[in-house]
Amino acid sequence: MKLVLASGNAGKLKELQAMLAGLPLQIVAQAELGVSDVPETGLTFVENALIKARHACASTGLPALADDSGLIVDALDGAPGLYSARYAGSPTDDAANNAKLLEAMRDVPAERRTARFYAVIVLLRHANDPQPLICEGSWEGEILDELRGSHGFGYNPLFLDTVLGQTAAEMAPDVKNAMSHRGKALQVLKQKLSALT
């Protein structure tokens, strides 16, 4: 099956392509087909993923896979949440987002720094698919008070996996992909796809 990845985020595309490598899918980034990003006007991660997938389907006539994900910090009432990519404003800027998060968490004690990455992945077979495949995953951790590591993108240098004792930016890509919110959501997707075939 030929599938459009409905994302303009280079880091996310690289991760998704690596994690989907074993499936019988020909994966094409939407930019390769001339599809631009669409405004994410939903009020939930699921709504935004559906908006992106539907736009890619309608533009290409192909099935589309989209994800929407973010960092949910308990001490910040769930922020940056839906607005994780644009937390410090537009255009998106990882360094500015991390600086803003560090500032927001400056006076938060260690025991209240809990957070999770959350992802929802949606697969639409066509633009009007009434039964999209919707898969979720979350990754529990804590927010550090300084950046650690150089792998990955986004908030990875501030997100500590307390089980492994490493930030997402310190992990080898295969370890991160196995632990991450996106990796967990993709495992659910793989199970649902194999049930369909």
Side-chain angles (χ1 to χ4, degrees), residues 18-120:
M19 288 188 264
L20 291 169
L23 293 177
L25 299 172
Q26 182 190 349
I27 300 163
V28 183
Q30 68 177 15
E32 292 177 37
L33 301 172
V35 179
S36 60
D37 286 340
V38 65
E40 296 175 30
T41 56
L43 299 178
T44 65
F45 291 107
V46 173
E47 287 176 297
N48 280 340
L50 284 167
I51 287 167
K52 291 186 274 192
R54 193 165 284 122
H55 173 70
C57 278
S59 301
T60 65
L62 294 168
L65 183 75
D67 101 312
D68 199 45
S69 56
L71 178 67
I72 298 166
V73 180
D74 295 320
L76 302 179
D77 296 326
L82 269 186
Y83 309 103
S84 292
R86 300 173 299 283
Y87 187 44
S90 289
T92 61
D93 182 320
D94 289 348
N97 287 339
N98 282 322
K100 182 172 180 178
L101 180 60
L102 281 169
E103 178 57 29
M105 296 291 286
R106 188 174 41 154
D107 298 323
V108 178
E111 67 274 9
R112 292 191 54 236
R113 299 179 78 90
T114 53
R116 71 209 44 81
F117 275 124
Y118 173 81
V120 62

Side-chain angles (χ1 to χ4, degrees), residues 168-191:
E170 292 174 310
M171 295 176 184
D174 58 330
V175 174
K176 180 188 167 197
N177 290 347
M179 300 293 295
S180 79
H181 52 309
R182 200 167 289 115
K184 290 172 185 171
L186 278 169
Q187 286 304 320
V188 176
L189 178 67
K190 286 179 181 180
Q191 291 165 10

